[in-house]
Amino acid sequence: MGATRLYKAIFEITRAVNSSLEPEKVLHNIAEKVATVMELKGCFIRLLDRKGETLLADASYGLSERYEQKGPVEVSKSRLDQEVLEGKIVNISDVRSDDRFQYPEEAAKEGLVSLVVLPLTARGKKVIGVLRVYSSELREFSEEELDFLKCVADLSGLALENARMFHALKRASELANDYIYRVDD
């Protein structure tokens, strides 16, 4: 995969991040662009629930509906995600022989072979979710590709943080306007 292609993809992903404050739309565009540019089976973005116990499906591209809805990823049952949520990047060349997967049979039915999982961070260090990319064949991801994925994960975290701050400010403004309206009555 050439550097020019990766730079162009970063440019397009950055434009997608700046085009909307709706997290679902932005994350779907990111998942689609990553899977397409890297010629992957699919991409999945999962975010932690409020308790930090479950990774919920937020956006995906290239995966079957059956696989997308296979069930929640419980952090306590997924050693793979425990490692990623500690800030590590997990790169598995053959998931068929790795016991860290919570749903190995579903992954096999989906035809998933190689995998990279990266943490999505907000405010610098706080891990808020994971970015997963899947290949349907044995694949060794290059350092250049891993750097690209790190950049995408950071952009995804930034997009989510911006959207959350926008919605919090919007809600605060609405509450302030409601209060002013009541005081003026």
Side-chain angles (χ1 to χ4, degrees):
M1 195 166 150
T4 303
R5 193 171 177 185
L6 292 176
Y7 290 131
K8 187 174 179 181
I10 288 292
F11 173 73
E12 291 175 12
I13 288 170
T14 304
R15 288 183 66 186
V17 167
N18 285 329
S19 69
S20 175
L21 288 170
E22 296 303 322
E24 289 179 15
K25 181 178 179 183
V26 171
L27 293 179
H28 177 77
N29 287 341
I30 290 171
E32 179 180 1
K33 182 54 71 180
V34 168
T36 303
V37 167
M38 295 185 74
E39 299 174 352
L40 296 166
K41 166 80 174 159
C43 178
F44 216 141
I45 297 174
R46 291 182 172 271
L47 300 179
L48 276 172
D49 67 354
R50 291 187 187 272
K51 294 180 180 177
E53 297 172 351
T54 305
L55 286 162
L56 305 171
D58 265 73
S60 68
Y61 182 82
L63 302 168
S64 70
E65 189 174 325
R66 177 191 49 78
Y67 189 76
E68 290 176 355
Q69 298 176 357
K70 65 186 179 308
V73 174
E74 297 174 48
V75 174
S76 64
K77 294 180 180 176
S78 174
R79 288 187 302 138
L80 169 72
D81 290 302
Q82 290 171 14
E83 290 179 35
V84 176
L85 293 173
E86 291 173 359
K88 298 176 185 171
I89 296 172
V90 175
N91 185 356
I92 301 173
S93 59
D94 192 347
V95 298
R96 298 170 295 188
S97 59
D98 194 291
D99 64 352
R100 291 177 285 179
F101 244 61
Q102 185 179 353
Y103 296 101
E105 288 111 23
E106 286 79 4
K109 289 178 188 172
E110 188 72 12
L112 306 178
V113 179
S114 296
L115 165 78
V116 176
V117 188
L118 303 97
L120 295 183
T121 57
R123 296 183 193 152
K125 293 183 178 179
K126 182 181 176 189
V127 179
I128 59 172
V130 299
L131 171 76
R132 297 174 182 236
V133 296
Y134 305 92
S135 173
S136 58
E137 54 194 36
L138 277 175
R139 180 169 175 169
E140 293 292 331
F141 289 88
S142 69
E143 285 300 317
E144 189 175 63
E145 290 174 321
L146 293 175
D147 286 344
F148 169 75
L149 290 170
K150 287 180 211 172
C151 182
V152 170
D154 289 345
L155 284 171
S156 300
L158 180 65
L160 287 168
E161 194 65 17
N162 285 343
R164 287 179 178 166
M165 288 182 357
F166 171 76
H167 290 290
L169 286 172
K170 183 178 174 186
R171 180 71 183 137
S173 175
E174 290 169 353
L175 290 172
N177 287 337
D178 287 348
Y179 177 76
I180 291 169
Y181 181 73
R182 286 186 198 145
V183 170
D184 289 342
D185 282 346

